[in-house]
C-alpha cells in the first residue's frame, strides 16, 4: 500500500487532483482510499469525493498534525475495510510543518503499513507567481508565512493550474522558482487533465526513500496565521414549489460573494456543495479566481436544494456569520422557504501537534549507521525524549552514496 500525502494552500487544487487520479486508478482496477481533513466538521470536500464513489474517511476539527491519532485510525480503517493499493491523504490548506508532525511519525508508528510515503505540495500557479514577484497579496504577513513554509518542505512541488498562465507568465514563473525556491523536485500540472494526473502519479510513485528535513518554524507566527482566517460551515436548505430552487441557490451564492466583496474581505477558499436526491455540483472560489456559474442556472430543476457552505475567509467569525445572514435575507421571497442547520463559525486554535520530530530518524531496523548511533547514544532506536516532544538524533552516517544507506 502506498500513502501519498498532499498539502498546499487553500484553493490550490488538491481535491480536484486527488479525485481525478483516484477515478483513473479505480477504472484500472486499483483500490483507492482518500482521507480528507479540515479544521471544521462539515466538509464539502468529503461529500464531493464520496459523490465519485471513492472510499473516503475524514479527519475533522483540526489538522492532521494535531489529530495524528485520528489520522492513524482512519488509515487503519481503510486498510481493514478495503486493503487499498493507494491512500491519498489531503491536509487542510492552512497547515504546514507536515514533515515533522505527520510524515516522520507515520514512518515510525505505521511503517509496516506502507511500501512508500510521499508528500506533494500543491501551489496555484497564479498565486505563486505573484508571491515570487514580491507583489502585494491580500493576505496578512502571518498567513503568507504559512504559505512560504508550505513551499519549503515538499518532496515534490506541484505547480498547478498552469493553463491559466500565458506563455510569458509561465516562463517567468519557472525562472523565479529556480532563483527563489530550493525545491529539488518540481512538476507543472493541470489537474483537470488526465495526462497531467498520470504524470503526477508516476512521479510520486517513483520517489524513493529519502532523508527529510524538518522545518525551522515559528509556531507563534504559524498560530497567528491560522487564527487570521475565519472558518464558517453551514447547511442551507432552499425549497421552492416551482422547481426552481437551483436558481435561488445560485443567487444565494452571488449574494454571499457580493457581501464578501463589499467588505473587501480576502477569500482563502469558499466552497459550496449543491445537491438533491439525484444531482450534485461543487462550486469553488479562491483568492485569484471566481467561477462563472450563470450558464448553469437553468440546467437543473428541483423543488429542494441542499447547500453545504465551507467559507475560509480573512475576517472574524461574527462577520462571517453576518455575511451569510445578510445574503439569506436579501434572497427571501414568498416563492421559497429557507432553513439553516449545523451553522458554526470559529477561528482555529493554536497548533499543538501530537508528535513533532525535529531531527533525522532511522528508516529501517537493520541500518548499521543507526545501530552505531544507538551504541553511542545508549538509547533505544536512537530516540531521545525531552519531556515535551520526541526527537531522533542525527545519523552519523559513514556510508558512501553507492551503499544506499537508508538514513
Amino acid at each position: 500500500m502506498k500513502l501519498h500525502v498532499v498539502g498546499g494552500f487553500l484553493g490550490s487544487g488538491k481535491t480536484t487532483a486527488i479525485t481525478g487520479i483516484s477515478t483513473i486508478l479505480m477504472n484500472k482496477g486499483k483500490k483507492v482510499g482518500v482521507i480528507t481533513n479540515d479544521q471544521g466538521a462539515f466538509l464539502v470536500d468529503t461529500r464531493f469525493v464520496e459523490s465519485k464513489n471513492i472510499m473516503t474517511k475524514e479527519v475533522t476539527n483540526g489538522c492532521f498534525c494535531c489529530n495524528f491519532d485520528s489520522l492513524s485510525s482512519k488509515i487503519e480503517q481503510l486498510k481493514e475495510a478495503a486493503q487499498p493499493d493507494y491512500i491519498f491523504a489531503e491536509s487542510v490548506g492552512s497547515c504546514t510543518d507536515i514533515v515533522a508532525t505527520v510524515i516522520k511519525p507515520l514512518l515510525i508508528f505505521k511503517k509496516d503499513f506502507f511500501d512508500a510515503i510521499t508528500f506533494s505540495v500543491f501551489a496555484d500557479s497564479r498565486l505563486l507567481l505573484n508571491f515570487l514577484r514580491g507583489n502585494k497579496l491580500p493576505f496578512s504577513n502571518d498567513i503568507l508565512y504559512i504559505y512560504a513554509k508550505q513551499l519549503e518542505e515538499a518532496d515534490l512541488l506541484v505547480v498547478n493550474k498552469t493553463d491559466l498562465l500565458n506563455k510569458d507568465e509561465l516562463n517567468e514563473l519557472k525562472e523565479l522558482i529556480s532563483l527563489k525556491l530550493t525545491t529539488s523536485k518540481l512538476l507543472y500540472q493541470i489537474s483537470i487533465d488526465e495526462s497531467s494526473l498520470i504524470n503526477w502519479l508516476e512521479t510520486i510513485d517513483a520517489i524513493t526513500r529519502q532523508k527529510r528535513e524538518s522545518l525551522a518554524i515559528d509556531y507563534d507566527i504559524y498560530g497567528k496565521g491560522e487564527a487570521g482566517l475565519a472558518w464558517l460551515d453551514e447547511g442551507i436548505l432552499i425549497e421552492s414549489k416551482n422547481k426552481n430552487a437551483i436558481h435561488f441557490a445560485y443567487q444565494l451564492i452571488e449574494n454571499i460573494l457580493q457581501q464578501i466583496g463589499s467588505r473587501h474581505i480576502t477569500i482563502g477558499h469558499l466552497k459550496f456543495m449543491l445537491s438533491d436526491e439525484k444531482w450534485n455540483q461543487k462550486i469553488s472560489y479562491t483568492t485569484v479566481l471566481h467561477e462563472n456559474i450563470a450558464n448553469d442556472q437553468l440546467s437543473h430543476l428541483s423543488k429542494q436544494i441542499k447547500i453545504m457552505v465551507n467559507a475560509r475567509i480573512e475576517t472574524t467569525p461574527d462577520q462571517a456569520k453576518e455575511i451569510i445572514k445578510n445574503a439569506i435575507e436579501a434572497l427571501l421571497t414568498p416563492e421559497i422557504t429557507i432553513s439553516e442547520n449545523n451553522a458554526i463559525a470559529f477561528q482555529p486554535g493554536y497548533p499543538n501537534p501530537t508528535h513533532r520530530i525535529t531531527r533525522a530518524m532511522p528508516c529501517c531496523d537493520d541500518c548499521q549507521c543507526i545501530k552505531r548511533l544507538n551504541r553511542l547514544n545508549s538509547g533505544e532506536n536512537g530516540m531521545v525524549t525531552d519531556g515535551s516532544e520526541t526527537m531522533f538524533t542525527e545519523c552519523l552516517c559513514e556510508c558512501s552514496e553507492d551503499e544506499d544507506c537508508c538514513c
Side-chain angles (χ1 to χ4, degrees):
M1 184 169 68
K2 296 181 179 181
L3 174 66
H4 295 313
V5 180
V6 182
F9 198 63
L10 300 159
S12 56
K14 303 184 294 295
T15 307
T16 299
I18 289 171
T19 304
I21 196 60
S22 296
T23 301
I24 291 170
L25 284 166
M26 290 190 303
N27 288 339
K28 294 181 177 180
K30 298 294 184 180
K31 297 178 181 178
V32 182
V34 171
I35 302 175
T36 58
N37 177 223
D38 203 273
Q39 303 282 5
F42 306 100
L43 311 188
V44 165
D45 287 343
T46 301
R47 303 291 88 77
F48 177 69
V49 177
E50 288 176 337
S51 74
K52 304 299 182 182
N53 298 315
I54 301 167
M55 183 174 291
T56 311
K57 299 292 182 181
E58 58 182 13
V59 175
T60 60
N61 296 314
C63 54
F64 283 154
C65 62
C66 299
N67 280 328
F68 181 84
D69 291 340
S70 178
L71 172 62
S72 180
S73 174
K74 302 305 180 185
I75 290 170
E76 291 179 4
Q77 290 172 24
L78 283 173
K79 180 176 171 60
E80 182 177 347
Q83 294 291 319
D85 301 294
Y86 290 89
I87 292 178
F88 293 90
E90 178 186 350
S91 176
V92 62
S94 62
C95 188
T96 188
D97 204 23
I98 298 290
V99 168
T101 62
V102 178
I103 303 297
K104 288 184 177 181
L106 283 172
L107 287 168
I108 296 170
F109 301 115
K110 295 294 177 186
K111 65 179 180 180
D112 295 332
F113 274 54
F114 306 108
D115 301 318
I117 300 177
T118 70
F119 179 38
S120 302
V121 170
F122 276 59
D124 184 305
S125 60
R126 298 154 302 169
L127 185 60
L128 181 59
L129 176 59
N130 281 290
F131 177 75
L132 295 178
R133 280 173 172 171
N135 293 345
K136 182 174 177 56
L137 297 174
F139 294 108
S140 70
N141 289 334
D142 294 331
I143 294 174
L144 291 175
Y145 177 81
I146 294 174
Y147 182 71
K149 286 298 179 180
Q150 289 175 340
L151 299 175
E152 186 179 332
E153 68 169 347
D155 287 355
L156 171 72
L157 178 61
V158 180
V159 182
N160 195 26
K161 307 180 185 180
T162 55
D163 57 319
L164 300 178
L165 297 179
N166 62 42
K167 183 178 179 181
D168 289 340
E169 288 172 332
L170 183 57
N171 288 335
E172 180 187 0
L173 177 58
K174 290 179 178 180
E175 184 176 351
L176 287 171
I177 287 174
S178 67
L179 290 173
K180 297 190 176 184
L181 297 183
T182 59
T183 305
S184 58
K185 293 185 177 66
L186 282 166
L187 196 63
Y188 294 89
Q189 180 164 304
I190 305 167
S191 287
I192 58 174
D193 176 69
E194 182 173 328
S195 62
S196 278
L197 291 174
I198 292 172
N199 186 38
W200 172 48
L201 181 67
E202 291 174 347
T203 301
I204 53 181
D205 274 353
I207 292 177
T208 58
R209 61 193 181 187
Q210 58 187 295
K211 181 176 178 179
R212 294 177 171 95
E213 298 294 338
S214 300
L215 285 178
I217 187 166
D218 187 322
Y219 262 70
D220 288 335
I221 299 176
Y222 178 13
K224 289 178 182 177
E226 286 207 299
L229 292 167
W231 248 247
L232 181 141
D233 297 330
E234 182 169 341
I236 299 172
L237 177 65
I238 298 179
E239 296 176 281
S240 167
K241 295 180 180 180
N242 297 325
K243 292 188 177 182
N244 60 350
I246 187 67
H247 167 79
F248 290 100
Y250 287 136
Q251 186 57 56
L252 177 62
I253 292 171
E254 293 294 342
N255 290 354
I256 292 171
L257 288 170
Q258 289 171 11
Q259 289 285 327
I260 291 172
S262 67
R263 290 170 167 81
H264 305 289
I265 291 171
T266 300
I267 296 173
H269 207 180
L270 180 62
K271 295 178 280 188
F272 302 91
M273 188 71 176
L274 281 59
S275 62
D276 62 14
E277 293 181 353
K278 299 181 179 179
W279 172 89
N280 64 75
Q281 179 186 18
K282 180 184 175 184
I283 300 169
S284 298
Y285 301 87
T286 68
T287 310
V288 288
L289 178 68
H290 290 175
E291 288 190 17
N292 181 4
I293 60 174
N295 293 333
D296 298 324
Q297 287 190 0
L298 300 178
S299 64
H300 183 73
L301 298 178
S302 181
K303 289 183 177 181
Q304 187 181 89
I305 293 292
K306 296 178 181 178
I307 307 171
M308 180 179 284
V309 183
N310 287 171
R312 288 79 179 98
I313 53 180
E314 194 169 3
T315 186
T316 65
D318 286 343
Q319 193 167 48
K321 289 188 287 188
E322 184 179 349
I323 285 169
I324 302 298
K325 175 177 176 290
N326 291 347
I328 290 174
E329 288 178 350
L331 188 66
L332 288 176
T333 171
E335 190 177 345
I336 59 172
T337 59
I338 300 176
S339 55
E340 301 173 77
N341 62 83
N342 297 324
I344 184 172
F346 63 94
Q347 289 169 304
Y350 192 90
N352 184 26
T354 308
H355 307 283
R356 186 165 191 265
I357 300 169
T358 57
R359 300 185 183 178
M361 53 167 285
C363 299
C364 69
D365 296 328
D366 296 325
C367 177
Q368 295 303 309
C369 301
I370 294 299
K371 289 180 178 179
R372 180 167 61 251
L373 180 63
N374 289 345
R375 292 194 297 270
L376 291 172
N377 288 333
S378 298
E380 184 179 355
N381 292 328
M383 186 166 64
V384 179
T385 302
D386 66 359
S388 61
E389 63 181 21
T390 303
M391 300 183 297
F392 283 76
T393 53
E394 294 287 350
C395 174
L396 304 178
C397 184
E398 297 175 1
C399 296
S400 61
E401 290 184 7
D402 60 357
E403 290 181 282
D404 193 30
C405 173
C406 66
C407 304

